[in-house]
Amino acid sequence: MRYPASQRVQYQAAARTLRIPYWDWSINPTMPPEVNQPTIYIKTPNGTAGVPNPLYSYTFHPLPPREDFPPIGSSSTGPQVWSFQSTVRYPDNNNQSQPDLINKQLQANGPAIRSMTYTLLTQQPNYGIFSNTRYNDGRDVGRYNSIENMHNGIHMLVGNGGHMSNIPYSSYDPIFWLHHANTDRLFALWQAVYPESNFTSSQTSAFGTLTNDAGKTEDINTRRFPVLAPNEASMELLMFLALTPFHSDESGTIWTSATAWSTKEFGYSYPEISDWAVNSSQLSSNVKTRLNALYNPTRTTSRRSVSADASSGVERSPNAMEIQWLANIRVSKSDSPSPFFVHLYLGAAPADPRAWSFAPNLVGSHSVIDTSMLNTADVDIPTTLYGQIPLNHALLAAGHSDLSSSNIVPLLKSQFNWRLQSTNDDPLDISKVPSLKIHVVGQEVKPRVSEDEFPEYGDMQVYKEVTDGKAGGLQDGVDVE
């Protein structure tokens, strides 16, 4: 049956303005409540009715073909998501989603995620370093964070053995789209802040895609597909440089990085980016103001993320301190065929591994995510992954308001430690990940002087004595990179 005419116009107007929503996990480190209920109640022509929530899970009809999606899971003993009829998140022993535990993990990581977001957007104009976990050309001792690093963390914290933590399957989970809309938003914010940054240099594709081979060179080349009378070599090149299979028009023109440069091309923007009637400098200044208000406010009420300034009584954000402490993590993906976590702590980890990911003294969880299904055949590609977890929020929450090196280094030597964990909640023996190298750096910071400016960041100093003698830590006498 159709809706009554009086309601039809209202719903049609809503459909015309519908856009994919984004989930700002830096501000709201819990899953949106709309994705957590298996059943929702909607108005129908016959009244209110309960229906399966399309944002809770996706039901396969049929299951993905085995030749396209081989049977992989979170581990050799964990759930094999390829066989599940519907998508799941952090599955329990009965392969049911556990939204409450997911939210506990996200909340435990919330302060770290917010600090990571702010420091990345405010001090990284280099696109290669900003964009991905493998880029190492010019990545100095402090620049281990990236948008991919944060993106991977959300995949793992939400999925944790379910579809979101298995990359080839992750887009079947409806929350994937809320997550990726926010990742797109963060990239658009970065573009607005750094309008002169160059992301047109070529790089080697580490894994490739279903249409592009691994090991080929990617750039912003504007050549398009199809081409006239191509030979085999030119066809291969043009197909790779285009963003296959996405068409920009009905004639078959394929999008490229050059033509997809701006969200304006697609007719949308984000609340923080009012990119009309302003020049690039004004837009950058405006977006900086919005980022400061969102992720580094003068005052904050988060219990885990504040410190009282003794002289003024003003609560200070971890991102507003004169020194910044960070844990850098370097590991080779080839050490493990399955995804895993590196959980960082101040003090001892809980005895029960099932509580590791949301322990009260958790500093943050670094995610090493599974990409084993992607095409890597016969290609020499970098396997070293770089990641970073900030420490200030945890130090301040534990009552350590004096962040000077004379106070913090001895503290970290005695209390800073980590545990490795598979996505089935089992501990992972650190000896199985011999490439793991964790080290601590400190950085002087000059706080911002106005709302439309960012802090000024000094050089990083490595403190090997914090991790020397600890399994998986950077040892004294060993180079950082």
Side-chain angles (χ1 to χ4, degrees):
M1 294 180 63
R2 302 179 67 185
Y3 285 94
S6 60
Q7 296 182 13
R8 204 175 305 154
V9 173
Q10 178 184 359
Y11 285 110
Q12 289 172 342
R16 284 193 295 269
T17 59
L18 179 65
R19 300 292 183 270
I20 295 178
Y22 65 88
W23 166 33
D24 185 358
W25 24 258
S26 300
I27 294 295
N28 300 301
T30 57
M31 291 189 298
E34 292 82 2
V35 308
N36 293 335
Q37 300 301 320
T39 301
I40 58 172
Y41 294 87
I42 63 172
K43 293 181 179 179
T44 74
N46 295 321
T48 301
V51 298
N53 183 358
L55 297 180
Y56 180 76
S57 67
Y58 171 78
T59 298
F60 296 98
H61 45 82
L63 287 169
R66 291 283 293 275
E67 61 270 21
D68 293 332
F69 294 85
I72 66 168
S74 62
S75 70
S76 59
T77 59
Q80 299 293 320
V81 299
W82 59 272
S83 64
F84 291 1
Q85 193 63 50
S86 299
T87 58
V88 295
R89 304 167 187 151
Y90 196 176
D92 61 15
N93 292 334
N94 295 316
N95 296 330
Q96 300 298 307
S97 295
Q98 304 181 92
D100 291 343
L101 290 185
I102 295 170
N103 282 336
K104 289 182 69 174
Q105 292 184 146
L106 289 165
Q107 288 175 316
N109 278 275
I113 293 170
R114 180 183 290 197
S115 289
M116 291 164 67
T117 301
Y118 185 75
T119 55
L120 180 65
L121 290 172
T122 58
Q123 65 170 319
Q124 190 46 264
N126 182 306
Y127 170 72
I129 298 172
F130 167 82
S131 64
N132 69 86
T133 58
R134 294 175 183 266
Y135 186 83
N136 60 7
D137 184 7
R139 189 188 294 275
D140 63 30
V141 296
R143 318 298 184 199
Y144 274 38
N145 194 17
S146 65
I147 192 171
E148 183 183 20
N149 177 53
M150 296 190 298
H151 154 275
N152 290 353
I154 300 301
H155 269 275
M156 285 281 283
L157 291 170
V158 172
N160 204 350
H163 291 78
M164 273 286 282
S165 57
N166 286 277
I167 290 298
Y169 297 87
S170 60
S171 62
Y172 287 104
D173 188 327
I175 202 172
F176 171 97
W177 301 99
L178 308 184
H179 168 41
H180 273 251
N182 190 55
T183 304
D184 178 75
R185 168 180 163 269
L186 293 176
F187 183 75
L189 289 168
W190 179 85
Q191 285 182 290
V193 169
Y194 304 105
E196 303 302 322
S197 289
N198 174 24
F199 61 101
T200 63
S201 59
S202 61
Q203 295 184 39
T204 299
S205 174
F207 293 106
T209 68
L210 291 176
T211 58
N212 301 329
D213 292 334
K216 296 296 181 64
T217 299
E218 283 185 314
D219 62 23
I220 203 171
N221 195 296
T222 55
R223 301 189 204 188
R224 302 169 183 230
F225 176 82
V227 294
L228 297 176
N231 58 41
E232 182 177 350
S234 66
M235 173 66 82
E236 181 181 12
L237 175 64
L238 290 173
M239 287 182 67
F240 184 78
L241 295 176
L243 300 177
T244 55
F246 301 105
H247 296 248
S248 62
D249 56 38
E250 294 183 359
S251 65
T253 304
I254 302 294
W255 286 103
T256 68
S257 294
T259 57
W261 180 288
S262 170
T263 60
K264 285 185 176 181
E265 295 292 332
F266 303 93
Y268 72 94
S269 186
Y270 290 100
E272 302 86 0
I273 307 174
S274 300
D275 54 356
W276 49 92
V278 294
N279 59 36
S280 60
S281 177
Q282 292 170 322
L283 178 61
S284 177
S285 178
N286 293 343
V287 172
K288 288 178 181 179
T289 299
R290 296 296 297 272
L291 291 175
N292 282 328
L294 278 171
Y295 304 124
N296 189 15
T298 302
R299 291 178 179 268
T300 180
T301 58
S302 173
R303 180 183 60 82
R304 287 177 54 94
S305 63
V306 300
S307 172
D309 187 313
S311 62
S312 65
V314 173
E315 292 180 335
R316 304 181 64 192
S317 162
N319 296 322
M321 309 305 289
E322 284 74 18
I323 187 168
Q324 180 169 246
W325 293 96
L326 304 159
N328 287 336
I329 303 164
R330 189 178 82 233
V331 65
S332 174
K333 180 62 189 72
S334 61
D335 280 355
S336 174
S338 299
F340 63 93
F341 291 106
V342 181
H343 300 302
L344 307 182
Y345 301 94
L346 279 182
D352 185 354
R354 291 173 297 182
W356 282 1
S357 60
F358 41 80
N361 62 332
L362 178 76
V363 177
S365 300
H366 173 66
S367 300
V368 182
I369 201 163
D370 190 7
T371 51
S372 59
M373 281 186 62
L374 301 179
N375 178 15
T376 60
D378 301 321
V379 176
D380 183 17
I381 60 173
T383 61
T384 300
L385 308 178
Y386 297 87
Q388 187 175 83
I389 300 289
L391 304 179
N392 276 20
H393 64 280
L395 293 167
L396 296 174
H400 304 289
S401 57
D402 178 4
L403 297 184
S404 64
S405 59
S406 60
N407 184 54
I408 296 303
V409 171
L411 173 74
L412 293 177
K413 285 178 65 176
S414 64
Q415 295 193 22
F416 182 56
N417 65 98
W418 46 87
R419 295 289 186 274
L420 275 58
Q421 187 175 37
S422 300
T423 54
N424 60 359
D425 287 340
D426 286 343
L428 178 62
D429 188 342
I430 200 168
S431 66
K432 304 295 185 183
V433 190
S435 67
L436 179 65
K437 295 293 180 290
I438 298 174
H439 66 272
V440 169
V441 297
Q443 178 186 39
E444 291 188 357
V445 181
K446 183 179 179 181
R448 68 176 193 264
V449 296
S450 67
E451 294 301 316
D452 63 350
E453 294 182 3
F454 287 155
E456 295 182 11
Y457 297 93
D459 294 333
M460 300 282 184
Q461 181 174 347
V462 181
Y463 293 89
K464 295 182 182 179
E465 59 266 43
V466 171
T467 53
D468 186 43
K470 301 176 182 179
L474 187 68
Q475 307 299 303
D476 192 20
V478 177
D479 291 338
V480 172
E481 295 185 342

